[in-house]
Amino acid sequence: MRRKRKPLLKMIVFISIFILFCLLLYVIFSQSAKDRATSLVDDFYQYEKSGNFGGSWILFHPLMKKKFSQDDYIQMRAHVFMQDFGVKTFSYKVGKAKHLKSWRFSNGSPKLKNVYQVPITQTFKSTFGKFTIHQDVYVAENKDKWTILWSYEK
């Protein structure tokens, strides 16, 4: 009798450890959609902060890319912040993402489903003093890829 219990007990312990290991891997490597949205916004503003406006443009949703060509975006961002305001860099804070069942980019655009609204606060030290911009950034999935949008709804 004793011999039969040990292999059964060993198997139960092994299976339990295996299940716990699988759960641990799942927790470590799975990231919620909300976390991915927040992470994407952080990536976007890291590019912006380093002056890599081409890198941040790549993260835009196709609706944003229609609004700005990559060359125009790079030129406008650099011109407005770096030349007009005399800003070399900025600090930013990414807020807590909020899930929206649907959201519209602009009047007349189609509603996007499962969008995340992420508040961002940018603080600039410029020729004209310190100023802060508060903006909501929207993150939507497009062809299995998370992308950035701003609101142009009136």
Side-chain angles (χ1 to χ4, degrees):
M1 272 259 168
R2 231 175 174 187
R3 282 187 176 162
K4 288 184 180 179
R5 283 189 190 174
K6 281 189 178 182
L8 182 61
L9 183 60
K10 284 181 182 180
M11 184 168 300
I12 290 172
V13 169
F14 176 76
I15 290 171
S16 298
I17 290 172
F18 180 74
I19 290 171
L20 287 172
F21 179 73
C22 289
L23 285 171
L24 179 65
L25 286 177
Y26 176 76
V27 168
I28 289 172
F29 293 109
S30 73
Q31 191 180 28
S32 74
K34 187 184 268 191
D35 292 338
R36 281 181 280 176
T38 303
S39 180
L40 183 69
V41 171
D42 187 52
D43 291 347
F44 179 86
Y45 283 97
Q46 278 295 328
Y47 284 131
E48 295 272 301
K49 185 175 180 175
S50 68
N52 183 354
F53 302 117
S56 54
W57 184 88
I58 289 169
L59 300 178
F60 277 151
H61 188 278
L63 290 170
M64 287 292 292
K65 289 179 178 179
K66 277 184 183 176
K67 198 148 188 71
F68 302 103
S69 72
Q70 188 172 18
D71 290 340
D72 286 345
Y73 181 76
I74 292 168
Q75 195 171 31
M76 287 172 30
R77 288 298 266 196
H79 181 80
V80 169
F81 289 110
M82 308 223 169
Q83 292 172 4
D84 290 349
F85 291 142
V87 170
K88 289 184 177 44
T89 189
F90 60 89
S91 61
Y92 68 95
K93 183 176 177 175
V94 179
K96 193 174 181 178
K98 176 184 173 187
H99 180 259
L100 305 175
K101 288 182 180 178
S102 67
W103 175 80
R104 193 180 305 272
F105 169 70
S106 65
N107 294 353
S109 69
K111 280 190 176 183
L112 302 173
K113 297 192 184 308
N114 295 318
V115 174
Y116 287 89
Q117 178 182 5
V118 183
I120 182 83
T121 303
Q122 292 175 272
T123 303
F124 300 89
K125 292 180 183 171
S126 79
T127 307
F128 304 105
K130 184 177 172 182
F131 64 94
T132 302
I133 294 175
H134 300 276
Q135 184 178 20
D136 286 329
V137 177
Y138 298 87
V139 179
E141 220 172 348
N142 181 61
K143 298 181 182 175
D144 297 327
K145 186 176 177 189
W146 290 97
T147 57
I148 297 281
L149 298 112
W150 294 325
S151 177
Y152 288 92
E153 194 167 37
K154 293 179 182 174

